[in-house]
Amino acid sequence: MTTRQGVTKPVPTGLVPAIALEGGGPIYQQLAEWFRRAIAEGRLRPGQRVPSTRALAGELGVSRLPVLGAYEQLHAEGYLESFTGAGTCVAAAIPHEGAGTPQRRPPRAAIATAPSAPRRVAARVAAMAAPPQSWLESQGAFRVGVPALAHFPHGVWSRLLSRHARHVGADALVYGDTMGHAPLREAIAEYLATVRAAHAGAAQILITSGAQHGLQICAHALLDPGDRAWVEEPGYPGAHQALGTVGALPVLVPVDAEGLDVAAGIRRAPTARLAYVTPSHQFPLGATLSAARRIELLQWAARTGSWIVEDDYDSEYRYGSRPIAALQGLDADARVIYVGTFSKVLFPALRLGYLVVPKDLLPAFRAARDALDTCSPMLPQRALHDFIREGHFARHIRRMRMLYAARRAALQAAIQHHLPGALEIVGAEAGMQLTALLPDGMDDVALSQRAAQAGVSVRPLSPCYRGDVKRSGLILGYGSVDERAIEEGVRRLRSCL
């Protein structure tokens, strides 16, 4: 059958406008699409008769079969209907503006640009839309949040994935437990008890698709619209996103050298429903929550019935001392929900994290997690379980701790050599990034844009403030950058300054 492309065939006067067969694809699909558009645009009105399949096929010079196929499809979709003795007509139920009054409709291009009803989205989601982030345009120095992927044991991970993929059973192909793979949860509970001094049984572990997903679950399980929640200022923008999706109201609590200022939080919102903190390595300033403030925060939560969400950000990597014990391990009243992730210690695309949930909150968290996305993929959970049990996880963290310590020292030395006195380094005692404060009055967003043009990814500090910006600065990640690239990156940054 030959398609007569681009040829317009007139249909008998009084029936339908001219039909054009244009573009590729089967003739029946082209015909059906033409009728849909003509009906939607008002060129064919409800109740208007259309030509018979035989007549239309003759006018177009094509076989009757594709015309029959198109009409059958349009009948099935409700665009056409047939009546004994009356033939085939446009369905009377099709909405039509000014039905019964023939009008000349504007061409299709005009339809597309004509004023229409507002295209509304949820106001709280629209408020979260961020401007273009120039610091994400480069994968080199100094991208924040990316580990040393070249040093990840790819061969070991591939072998573990292959092991489970080759012998996959039906139980790995159906929906898994909402809480996650039970053996992996046991391995995580043992790791947290040993390394983070956390108090958690495997039954309290809930597997998530990363830390941000964990924060979303916490927000859905614990907060109602209008509830107030403490957030660090400056702080992690993802926490504001999680709170915003449920309509909670953030209360900005300042951060100083001892971490979250608990007394200021109590003054601003003494009965807030929740407090979000990064006590081990505050993002973005790098402070560690002091012992006095940890106790003060726990006492406030127990007294008011509030909840604490502990995002244990970068807890695995400390360079001047052993890792700080988790806040959750000090909690005698089960008020802390612990958030952890494997994205930073292994690789971001893994998309596996976990929550430690107080026992009485498990039904609520299970329901919230199930409502968001049911369960995490089973195959990577099983491979991760083996990765931990066989000792690869602990070895990898030990190697990365030494590697990141060397890269941190290289970055500090490069800044001191190329930019003496220009930047004030803070938050370099832990993690995979440090923050360099700029002189007063310098625009860190504009600087990050100039750096992006020079091939350097530096994240500005000021967008981490939601209130008045106290200081401008640059957040410099060194996890994925070797010493040579660090040196070159600082040289390029100097030219931008």
Side-chain angles (χ1 to χ4, degrees), residues 139 143 145-155 157 317 342-350 396 400 403-404 407 432 478-482:
Q139 292 291 340
R143 184 74 179 267
V146 180
L149 301 178
H151 293 264
F152 180 73
H154 302 279
W157 181 254
Y317 301 125
F342 294 100
S343 295
K344 302 297 188 297
V345 292
L346 298 182
F347 56 94
L350 179 60
H396 180 63
M400 293 303 97
L403 178 70
Y404 295 149
R407 292 181 174 181
M432 297 186 296
Y478 50 79
S480 61
V481 195
D482 61 27

Side-chain angles (χ1 to χ4, degrees), residues 93 135 237 316 328 403 421 452 477:
W135 55 93
E316 294 84 1
Q328 193 266 0
L403 178 70

Side-chain angles (χ1 to χ4, degrees), residues 123-300:
R124 61 177 180 267
V125 176
M128 286 185 263
Q133 299 175 329
S134 58
W135 55 93
L136 297 179
E137 297 173 2
S138 171
Q139 292 291 340
F142 298 96
R143 184 74 179 267
V144 175
V146 180
L149 301 178
H151 293 264
F152 180 73
H154 302 279
V156 171
W157 181 254
S158 298
R159 176 173 56 82
L160 296 176
L161 277 177
S162 298
R163 174 194 298 173
H164 290 283
R166 284 195 306 268
H167 305 289
V168 63
D171 57 335
L173 301 179
V174 297
Y175 292 113
D177 186 344
T178 298
M179 298 294 290
H181 185 46
L184 175 59
R185 293 159 59 200
E186 292 172 359
I188 292 173
E190 292 180 13
Y191 164 75
L192 292 175
T194 303
V195 177
R196 305 298 298 122
H199 301 307
Q204 295 175 253
I205 305 294
L206 189 159
I207 303 299
T208 69
S209 299
Q212 185 64 30
H213 182 225
L215 296 181
Q216 293 280 359
I217 295 172
C218 290
H220 281 78
L222 300 175
L223 296 171
D224 292 315
D227 282 344
R228 308 186 78 188
W230 293 2
V231 288
E232 297 166 329
E233 173 74 347
Y236 174 52
H240 290 271
Q241 292 176 329
L243 296 175
T245 58
V246 298
L249 304 178
V251 177
L252 305 180
V253 181
V255 171
D256 58 24
E258 294 186 64
L260 182 81
D261 188 341
V262 179
I266 294 174
R267 289 194 299 271
R268 297 182 181 192
T271 59
R273 176 72 68 87
L274 179 149
Y276 168 81
V277 291
T278 52
S280 295
H281 185 223
Q282 198 274 335
F283 183 89
L285 297 182
T288 299
L289 190 64
S290 67
R293 289 191 179 174
R294 288 172 183 247
I295 295 173
E296 187 179 10
L297 181 61
L298 291 170
Q299 290 176 341
W300 166 78

Side-chain angles (χ1 to χ4, degrees), residues 45-57:
R45 299 183 298 278
Q48 182 174 344
R49 186 173 178 180
V50 299
S52 68
T53 57
R54 190 183 305 276
L56 184 55

Side-chain angles (χ1 to χ4, degrees), residues 5 36 41 61 77 129 148 201 242 247 259 270 277 295 307 310 334 344 380 382 391 395 426 428 439 452 471 491:
Q5 303 287 347
R36 292 189 195 98
E41 294 172 3
E77 294 176 4
V277 291
I295 295 173
W307 302 106
E310 176 184 11
K344 302 297 188 297
R382 294 188 173 194
R395 285 192 293 272
V426 298
R471 291 294 303 267
R491 279 200 296 265

